Amino acid sequence: SVPRNIDGARITRFERAFGPVNGDITFRLPLNTPTSRHEGDQGEEQDREQAPAIRIIVLNSMNLDGPIRSHTDHAATIEHLNNMMSTSTDVGDRSVATLLLTHIPLYKESGLCADAEFFDYFPSSHGGGVREQNMISQELSRRAVLEGLYGMHFDAEGSAAGMGRDGLVLTGHDHVGCDVMHYADVY
């Protein structure tokens, strides 16, 4: 039998039940503003920018690492990730917290939890590509998510002292169950 993987039919079925595999929505706390303001006033725009918010980003982590089986799905995920990076607030803005929802967890050092990094691949006779993994690769976890999406970096003199944006990553594939605090200097 042919091994199963994430494909267009499975993505469609998932999206019908749960929503987009790549998406985002921002929930902003409404502020009480004086009734003397009129729509379009600068004050109203400033209130919206200052109001505390949670930005929820859904990321299809099932096709980030390579070799890639579906270049179309991979490209859609990379485009979404790049869009999320380019539309994020400044790293030092503490009014917005980013909540990343992803199926596969970020990289964890071996021994930190019960499981070590694991990748299994489809045979080339079945198109190759990642068949199974228990965490996103170290490189993509660091560059795409921690540095790119959360703005973490090694320069303590930089924005937010290198600590990045406020936020949390929630995953569903960590079968062992493990809480990990990610810092820019762990890699």
Side-chain angles (χ1 to χ4, degrees):
S1 79
V2 176
R4 297 201 43 155
N5 70 323
I6 185 168
D7 60 18
R10 293 178 88 188
I11 289 174
T12 300
R13 187 178 73 202
F14 177 92
E15 288 183 331
R16 259 196 323 265
F18 303 107
V21 293
N22 289 308
D24 80 299
I25 187 168
T26 300
F27 294 97
R28 192 168 299 281
L29 184 68
L31 294 179
N32 294 329
T33 57
T35 56
S36 62
R37 287 210 180 124
H38 299 285
E39 190 172 323
D41 284 353
Q42 275 189 331
E44 182 179 320
E45 186 176 312
Q46 280 181 324
D47 285 345
R48 261 183 283 164
E49 291 174 9
Q50 299 300 321
I54 295 176
R55 183 179 194 190
I56 300 173
I57 298 174
V58 178
L59 182 66
N60 181 5
S61 58
M62 302 284 286
N63 61 12
L64 278 175
D65 281 298
I68 305 303
R69 264 182 87 94
S70 170
H71 292 282
T72 303
D73 294 337
H74 174 75
T77 298
I78 295 301
E79 180 181 345
H80 175 64
L81 186 58
N82 287 335
N83 186 43
M84 296 300 94
M85 289 181 212
S86 67
T87 59
S88 292
T89 59
D90 291 338
V91 174
D93 182 354
R94 296 296 181 219
S95 69
V96 178
T98 300
L99 176 61
L100 177 63
L101 305 177
T102 179
H103 184 73
I104 300 174
L106 298 181
Y107 173 80
K108 302 172 281 194
E109 290 183 28
S110 183
L112 185 61
C113 297
D115 53 352
E117 183 177 37
F118 171 79
F119 279 82
D120 185 27
Y121 303 93
F122 285 105
S124 58
S125 61
H126 290 103
V130 175
R131 177 181 186 153
E132 182 183 356
Q133 67 188 103
N134 65 346
M135 61 185 81
I136 299 172
S137 68
Q138 180 177 1
E139 182 68 14
L140 280 171
S141 293
R142 178 181 176 183
R143 298 257 186 244
V145 178
L146 296 179
E147 291 178 6
L149 190 58
Y150 281 93
M152 292 180 171
H153 54 83
F154 297 99
D155 183 4
E157 301 296 319
S159 297
M163 295 300 294
R165 293 180 180 84
D166 290 339
L168 188 64
V169 179
L170 299 177
T171 65
H173 191 79
D174 193 347
H175 297 175
V176 176
C178 180
D179 294 334
V180 178
M181 179 74 72
H182 292 279
Y183 294 95
D185 62 351
V186 295
Y187 302 109

Short mmCIF file of all heavy atoms in Angstrom, two decimals, residues 30-60:
data_model
loop_
_atom_site.label_atom_id
_atom_site.label_comp_id
_atom_site.label_asym_id
_atom_site.label_seq_id
_atom_site.Cartn_x
_atom_site.Cartn_y
_atom_site.Cartn_z
N PRO A 30 -11.53 46.22 23.33
CA PRO A 30 -12.13 47.53 23.02
C PRO A 30 -11.86 48.51 24.15
O PRO A 30 -11.92 48.16 25.32
CB PRO A 30 -13.63 47.21 22.89
CG PRO A 30 -13.83 45.95 23.64
CD PRO A 30 -12.52 45.21 23.63
N LEU A 31 -11.52 49.72 23.78
CA LEU A 31 -11.29 50.77 24.76
C LEU A 31 -12.47 51.72 24.77
O LEU A 31 -13.08 51.98 23.74
CB LEU A 31 -10.01 51.55 24.42
CG LEU A 31 -8.70 50.76 24.52
CD1 LEU A 31 -7.54 51.66 24.12
CD2 LEU A 31 -8.48 50.26 25.92
N ASN A 32 -12.79 52.23 25.93
CA ASN A 32 -13.83 53.25 26.02
C ASN A 32 -13.23 54.56 25.53
O ASN A 32 -12.23 55.04 26.06
CB ASN A 32 -14.30 53.42 27.46
CG ASN A 32 -15.01 52.19 27.95
OD1 ASN A 32 -15.63 51.48 27.18
ND2 ASN A 32 -14.91 51.92 29.25
N THR A 33 -13.81 55.11 24.49
CA THR A 33 -13.31 56.37 23.94
C THR A 33 -14.37 57.44 24.12
O THR A 33 -15.57 57.15 24.11
CB THR A 33 -12.97 56.23 22.44
OG1 THR A 33 -14.14 55.80 21.75
CG2 THR A 33 -11.84 55.25 22.23
N PRO A 34 -13.95 58.68 24.28
CA PRO A 34 -14.92 59.77 24.43
C PRO A 34 -15.86 59.83 23.22
O PRO A 34 -15.44 59.58 22.10
CB PRO A 34 -14.06 61.02 24.51
CG PRO A 34 -12.69 60.54 24.84
CD PRO A 34 -12.59 59.14 24.33
N THR A 35 -17.10 60.17 23.47
CA THR A 35 -18.09 60.24 22.39
C THR A 35 -17.87 61.44 21.48
O THR A 35 -18.46 61.51 20.42
CB THR A 35 -19.52 60.30 22.97
OG1 THR A 35 -19.60 61.41 23.85
CG2 THR A 35 -19.87 59.02 23.70
N SER A 36 -16.99 62.35 21.87
CA SER A 36 -16.77 63.52 21.04
C SER A 36 -15.91 63.20 19.81
O SER A 36 -15.85 63.99 18.89
CB SER A 36 -16.09 64.63 21.85
OG SER A 36 -14.84 64.20 22.31
N ARG A 37 -15.28 62.05 19.80
CA ARG A 37 -14.46 61.69 18.63
C ARG A 37 -15.37 61.25 17.49
O ARG A 37 -16.39 60.63 17.69
CB ARG A 37 -13.52 60.53 18.98
CG ARG A 37 -12.40 60.97 19.86
CD ARG A 37 -11.18 60.11 19.60
NE ARG A 37 -10.12 60.58 20.48
CZ ARG A 37 -9.49 59.82 21.33
NH1 ARG A 37 -9.75 58.54 21.40
NH2 ARG A 37 -8.55 60.32 22.09
N HIS A 38 -14.94 61.56 16.30
CA HIS A 38 -15.68 61.17 15.11
C HIS A 38 -14.88 60.11 14.37
O HIS A 38 -13.65 60.07 14.44
CB HIS A 38 -15.92 62.38 14.20
CG HIS A 38 -16.72 63.45 14.87
ND1 HIS A 38 -18.06 63.33 15.07
CD2 HIS A 38 -16.34 64.64 15.41
CE1 HIS A 38 -18.49 64.42 15.70
NE2 HIS A 38 -17.46 65.22 15.92
N GLU A 39 -15.60 59.27 13.66
CA GLU A 39 -14.92 58.22 12.90
C GLU A 39 -13.87 58.85 12.00
O GLU A 39 -14.12 59.84 11.33
CB GLU A 39 -15.94 57.45 12.05
CG GLU A 39 -15.35 56.21 11.44
CD GLU A 39 -16.41 55.36 10.77
OE1 GLU A 39 -17.53 55.28 11.30
OE2 GLU A 39 -16.08 54.79 9.73
N GLY A 40 -12.69 58.24 11.98
CA GLY A 40 -11.60 58.76 11.15
C GLY A 40 -10.67 59.69 11.89
O GLY A 40 -9.63 60.06 11.35
N ASP A 41 -11.03 60.13 13.10
CA ASP A 41 -10.13 60.98 13.88
C ASP A 41 -8.85 60.22 14.18
O ASP A 41 -8.85 59.02 14.37
CB ASP A 41 -10.77 61.40 15.21
CG ASP A 41 -11.81 62.50 15.03
OD1 ASP A 41 -11.94 63.01 13.90
OD2 ASP A 41 -12.48 62.83 16.03
N GLN A 42 -7.74 60.95 14.26
CA GLN A 42 -6.46 60.32 14.60
C GLN A 42 -6.50 59.67 15.98
O GLN A 42 -5.89 58.64 16.19
CB GLN A 42 -5.33 61.35 14.55
CG GLN A 42 -4.78 61.54 13.17
CD GLN A 42 -3.54 62.41 13.23
OE1 GLN A 42 -3.38 63.25 14.11
NE2 GLN A 42 -2.64 62.19 12.29
N GLY A 43 -7.21 60.26 16.91
CA GLY A 43 -7.29 59.69 18.26
C GLY A 43 -7.87 58.30 18.27
O GLY A 43 -7.41 57.41 18.98
N GLU A 44 -8.88 58.06 17.43
CA GLU A 44 -9.49 56.74 17.34
C GLU A 44 -8.47 55.72 16.80
O GLU A 44 -8.37 54.61 17.29
CB GLU A 44 -10.70 56.80 16.42
CG GLU A 44 -11.43 55.47 16.29
CD GLU A 44 -12.64 55.59 15.38
OE1 GLU A 44 -13.35 56.61 15.46
OE2 GLU A 44 -12.85 54.66 14.60
N GLU A 45 -7.71 56.13 15.79
CA GLU A 45 -6.69 55.25 15.23
C GLU A 45 -5.61 54.93 16.26
O GLU A 45 -5.17 53.79 16.39
CB GLU A 45 -6.07 55.91 14.00
CG GLU A 45 -5.10 55.01 13.25
CD GLU A 45 -4.61 55.67 11.99
OE1 GLU A 45 -5.44 56.19 11.22
OE2 GLU A 45 -3.38 55.67 11.79
N GLN A 46 -5.19 55.91 17.05
CA GLN A 46 -4.19 55.69 18.09
C GLN A 46 -4.71 54.73 19.15
O GLN A 46 -4.00 53.87 19.62
CB GLN A 46 -3.79 57.01 18.75
CG GLN A 46 -2.80 57.80 17.95
CD GLN A 46 -2.43 59.07 18.68
OE1 GLN A 46 -3.25 59.69 19.34
NE2 GLN A 46 -1.17 59.45 18.56
N ASP A 47 -6.00 54.87 19.55
CA ASP A 47 -6.58 53.97 20.54
C ASP A 47 -6.53 52.53 20.06
O ASP A 47 -6.21 51.62 20.80
CB ASP A 47 -8.03 54.35 20.85
CG ASP A 47 -8.13 55.58 21.73
OD1 ASP A 47 -7.10 55.96 22.32
OD2 ASP A 47 -9.24 56.14 21.82
N ARG A 48 -6.85 52.31 18.76
CA ARG A 48 -6.83 50.96 18.22
C ARG A 48 -5.42 50.38 18.25
O ARG A 48 -5.22 49.21 18.51
CB ARG A 48 -7.35 50.95 16.79
CG ARG A 48 -8.80 50.51 16.73
CD ARG A 48 -9.24 50.44 15.34
NE ARG A 48 -9.46 51.85 15.00
CZ ARG A 48 -9.59 52.34 13.80
NH1 ARG A 48 -9.56 51.59 12.78
NH2 ARG A 48 -9.78 53.61 13.59
N GLU A 49 -4.41 51.22 17.97
CA GLU A 49 -3.03 50.75 17.98
C GLU A 49 -2.55 50.44 19.40
O GLU A 49 -1.73 49.57 19.60
CB GLU A 49 -2.12 51.79 17.33
CG GLU A 49 -2.35 51.91 15.84
CD GLU A 49 -1.54 53.05 15.24
OE1 GLU A 49 -0.69 53.62 15.95
OE2 GLU A 49 -1.77 53.37 14.06
N GLN A 50 -3.06 51.14 20.41
CA GLN A 50 -2.60 50.98 21.78
C GLN A 50 -3.39 49.92 22.56
O GLN A 50 -2.96 49.47 23.60
CB GLN A 50 -2.68 52.32 22.53
CG GLN A 50 -1.82 53.39 21.92
CD GLN A 50 -0.35 53.03 21.88
OE1 GLN A 50 0.17 52.43 22.82
NE2 GLN A 50 0.32 53.35 20.81
N ALA A 51 -4.56 49.55 22.08
CA ALA A 51 -5.39 48.60 22.79
C ALA A 51 -4.71 47.24 22.85
O ALA A 51 -4.16 46.78 21.85
CB ALA A 51 -6.75 48.47 22.11
N PRO A 52 -4.70 46.58 24.00
CA PRO A 52 -4.09 45.25 24.10
C PRO A 52 -4.75 44.28 23.12
O PRO A 52 -5.97 44.32 22.91
CB PRO A 52 -4.36 44.84 25.55
CG PRO A 52 -4.62 46.11 26.28
CD PRO A 52 -5.24 47.04 25.28
N ALA A 53 -3.94 43.40 22.54
CA ALA A 53 -4.46 42.48 21.53
C ALA A 53 -3.76 41.13 21.61
O ALA A 53 -2.62 41.04 22.07
CB ALA A 53 -4.29 43.08 20.14
N ILE A 54 -4.46 40.13 21.12
CA ILE A 54 -3.88 38.80 20.93
C ILE A 54 -3.99 38.49 19.44
O ILE A 54 -5.09 38.53 18.88
CB ILE A 54 -4.61 37.72 21.74
CG1 ILE A 54 -4.44 37.97 23.23
CG2 ILE A 54 -4.10 36.33 21.37
CD1 ILE A 54 -5.21 37.01 24.10
N ARG A 55 -2.86 38.21 18.82
CA ARG A 55 -2.85 37.81 17.42
C ARG A 55 -2.68 36.30 17.38
O ARG A 55 -1.66 35.77 17.82
CB ARG A 55 -1.71 38.49 16.68
CG ARG A 55 -1.72 38.16 15.19
CD ARG A 55 -0.61 38.84 14.45
NE ARG A 55 -0.84 38.78 13.02
CZ ARG A 55 0.05 39.12 12.12
NH1 ARG A 55 1.23 39.58 12.51
NH2 ARG A 55 -0.23 39.02 10.84
N ILE A 56 -3.68 35.62 16.86
CA ILE A 56 -3.63 34.16 16.75
C ILE A 56 -3.24 33.80 15.32
O ILE A 56 -3.93 34.18 14.37
CB ILE A 56 -4.99 33.52 17.12
CG1 ILE A 56 -5.35 33.90 18.56
CG2 ILE A 56 -4.93 32.01 16.94
CD1 ILE A 56 -6.74 33.48 18.97
N ILE A 57 -2.14 33.08 15.20
CA ILE A 57 -1.64 32.65 13.90
C ILE A 57 -1.70 31.13 13.84
O ILE A 57 -1.20 30.44 14.73
CB ILE A 57 -0.19 33.12 13.67
CG1 ILE A 57 -0.13 34.65 13.68
CG2 ILE A 57 0.37 32.54 12.37
CD1 ILE A 57 1.29 35.21 13.61
N VAL A 58 -2.33 30.61 12.79
CA VAL A 58 -2.36 29.18 12.53
C VAL A 58 -1.35 28.93 11.41
O VAL A 58 -1.38 29.59 10.37
CB VAL A 58 -3.78 28.71 12.09
CG1 VAL A 58 -3.78 27.23 11.77
CG2 VAL A 58 -4.80 29.05 13.16
N LEU A 59 -0.44 27.98 11.65
CA LEU A 59 0.62 27.69 10.68
C LEU A 59 0.63 26.20 10.36
O LEU A 59 0.73 25.37 11.25
CB LEU A 59 1.98 28.12 11.25
CG LEU A 59 3.17 27.91 10.33
CD1 LEU A 59 3.09 28.83 9.11
CD2 LEU A 59 4.47 28.17 11.08
N ASN A 60 0.55 25.88 9.08
CA ASN A 60 0.61 24.49 8.63
C ASN A 60 2.05 24.01 8.69
O ASN A 60 2.80 24.12 7.73
CB ASN A 60 0.05 24.37 7.21
CG ASN A 60 0.08 22.94 6.71
OD1 ASN A 60 0.42 22.01 7.43
ND2 ASN A 60 -0.28 22.77 5.45
#
